[in-house]
Amino acid sequence: MDRHCKQQLEKFGMKVEDVTHVCIAPTLYPLLQYLLLMEDDIAFRHTFYFVNELIPEKVRTQLPCQCFNYFGKELSHKLNRRVIKLKLRFFKYVDFPFLKTAEFFAYDLPYGSLCIGNHKYNLLPDAPNCMTLNSQYDSAEYIRMQNRANSLMGKVQRIVYGDLFVNYLGHNSQCKAVYLTEENTTPVLNGKTVSIQTLPSLWEKSSKRKKDFILGLFNVTATDITLLNSRPNLFFSQPLLNDCGLTESEYVDILTKIFNNYPTDSLIIKTHPRDKFNYTKHFPNILVFSKAISSQLLYITGVTPQTIITISSTAIEGFPESIACDYYGIHIHPKLEHFFGNEYRPARSVTYK
């Protein structure tokens, strides 16, 4: 067995045979959804979690988990990732014996899919309306996936790592069920069992033990809620420099145009977990909230701004229609149009700016 895995099981008083479920959650949203979906005993005593560095260390230390580094750009990081991928492909049942029999719940990006292997699995979304936005045949993400799958590299990856590595986001025969937090529209749902339960409804049904655990796990405090409610306008950021290739000056220009529409002392910036842009440097008079907490969890626990503001973040989908939304959209810059595709639209009602 993998040494770290053995240590994790021992730390939480678990044995290999105790693990009946595996949760693969590379981001906060599917992790939160899984915890709310599962019965307490399964979530706390019978699940092993596979995560990455987007899940804060303080969260990881409170769960029996294996953390993979997806993002390092140094040569040593890239080589290490290749070694880990090959180990997962060919030795996962040696390192993680419970993968032979576990029930899988996963946001099924290629890296994590190696844990699933040839097993059936249940798909968890990465965000509200994730599949509507990314799993249409004409969506930019679907086209990117198909282009990669049909490339020479994609064909090699299919042979080495399996079909699921190149056909993810539920676009495969192994995905048997999809657990959504709202109705989504996409052909990929055809033939699959679909369950729809909103996060607020799951929260209401949760035990006090689970609610207290989640609040402690994600370090949500009364001070955080008070701070976020202290100003009426809440801006949700995105990792646009990293994802879309914006330069720092281009991004500052976009943000300046947006922020000029609001009194400075009315704004709070809620940063995305992957967004490392220094907002305080460029906008020193705007409050920045950088805790890695799902925006949907913030709403559930009492954060209710007057207006939510974004370029194109799916964080807005977790807030009710009663909260106004100023939506600037991908057409604010051609690099965003290229990355997201011209058909990228929010599901909830918004005021286009």
Side-chain angles (χ1 to χ4, degrees):
M1 186 190 304
D2 177 84
R3 180 168 58 88
H4 177 77
C5 176
K6 183 178 180 181
Q7 291 172 346
Q8 286 286 293
L9 292 176
E10 290 175 351
K11 175 183 175 181
F12 291 91
M14 297 169 63
K15 299 177 182 178
V16 169
E17 54 267 29
D18 292 329
V19 181
T20 59
H21 287 63
V22 164
C23 174
I24 302 172
T27 61
L28 293 169
Y29 193 86
L31 177 58
L32 172 62
Q33 184 191 16
Y34 179 82
L35 290 170
L36 290 172
L37 276 170
M38 293 296 109
E39 295 178 2
D40 290 13
D41 193 51
I42 291 176
F44 300 147
R45 299 293 305 157
H46 294 286
T47 299
F48 194 86
Y49 297 83
F50 288 89
V51 300
N52 66 26
E53 292 181 328
L54 288 182
I55 306 298
E57 185 177 0
K58 289 182 179 179
V59 174
R60 302 197 304 263
T61 59
Q62 299 178 70
L63 295 170
C65 70
Q66 184 83 12
C67 179
F68 298 129
N69 177 6
Y70 294 3
F71 302 108
K73 294 183 179 181
E74 296 179 10
L75 179 60
S76 60
H77 292 152
K78 294 179 180 179
L79 291 174
N80 187 52
R81 281 199 295 273
R82 289 181 183 239
V83 170
I84 292 174
K85 285 192 292 187
L86 289 170
K87 280 192 69 180
L88 282 173
R89 172 65 178 89
F90 296 106
F91 300 103
K92 57 179 170 288
Y93 299 134
V94 175
D95 289 341
F96 309 101
F98 47 78
L99 293 179
K100 294 179 183 178
T101 56
E103 179 82 2
F104 291 92
F105 286 77
Y107 178 53
D108 61 348
L109 293 182
Y111 208 112
S113 72
L114 293 170
C115 298
I116 301 172
N118 294 322
H119 295 281
K120 298 288 186 179
Y121 71 99
N122 305 284
L123 178 64
L124 302 174
D126 179 44
N129 292 293
C130 172
M131 300 195 72
T132 298
L133 292 171
N134 297 310
S135 296
Q136 307 295 343
Y137 293 146
D138 59 352
S139 67
E141 183 59 35
Y142 180 84
I143 292 170
R144 275 193 292 271
M145 181 181 69
Q146 289 301 303
N147 287 341
R148 283 194 296 266
N150 294 324
S151 68
L152 177 60
M153 178 58 72
K155 292 175 182 177
V156 171
Q157 288 176 331
R158 189 187 301 276
I159 293 171
V160 176
Y161 298 125
D163 290 341
L164 192 52
F165 192 86
V166 293
N167 288 110
Y168 45 94
L169 293 179
H171 292 274
N172 54 75
S173 60
Q174 291 174 237
C175 176
K176 64 178 183 177
V178 183
Y179 286 81
L180 301 172
T181 51
E182 66 290 308
E183 187 173 355
N184 277 232
T185 303
T186 167
V188 78
L189 298 178
N190 295 337
K192 295 177 172 60
T193 301
V194 178
S195 172
I196 302 174
Q197 297 184 73
T198 67
L199 292 185
S201 70
L202 290 171
W203 179 261
E204 286 301 315
K205 290 186 289 188
S206 295
S207 67
K208 184 179 185 303
R209 176 193 179 197
K210 181 183 284 186
K211 290 178 180 178
D212 289 344
F213 176 80
I214 288 174
L215 292 176
L217 181 70
F218 293 106
N219 192 23
V220 181
T221 68
T223 301
D224 295 330
I225 296 170
T226 299
L227 173 66
L228 289 165
N229 282 331
S230 67
R231 296 187 173 185
N233 297 315
L234 184 58
F235 175 81
F236 289 106
S237 85
Q238 298 164 258
L240 298 177
L241 278 77
N242 196 49
D243 288 354
C244 305
L246 288 174
T247 65
E248 183 172 313
S249 61
E250 288 172 336
Y251 190 45
V252 170
D253 286 346
I254 291 171
L255 292 175
T256 300
K257 291 175 183 176
I258 293 173
F259 295 157
N260 281 345
N261 293 321
Y262 310 90
T264 299
D265 61 1
S266 75
L267 282 164
I268 299 178
I269 298 170
K270 165 65 174 76
T271 61
H272 185 281
R274 285 197 294 117
D275 184 6
K276 306 305 178 185
F277 183 75
N278 189 343
Y279 290 92
T280 301
K281 172 185 173 182
H282 297 282
F283 305 98
N285 296 319
I286 299 178
L287 285 178
V288 178
F289 184 82
S290 56
K291 268 191 182 182
I293 302 172
S294 163
S295 59
Q296 291 74 30
L297 180 56
L298 291 175
Y299 170 69
I300 290 171
T301 53
V303 175
T304 53
Q306 292 181 20
T307 303
I308 49 179
I309 306 160
T310 192
I311 295 173
S312 58
S313 172
T314 55
I316 63 170
E317 306 289 358
F319 288 80
E321 301 279 344
S322 57
I323 294 177
C325 179
D326 288 352
Y327 192 85
Y328 286 83
I330 59 170
H331 302 298
I332 200 168
H333 196 280
K335 288 183 179 178
L336 304 189
E337 289 183 321
H338 177 74
F339 181 80
F340 289 104
N342 287 327
E343 301 305 315
Y344 197 89
R345 296 286 189 278
R348 62 157 287 162
S349 62
V350 301
T351 299
Y352 288 96
K353 306 300 281 188

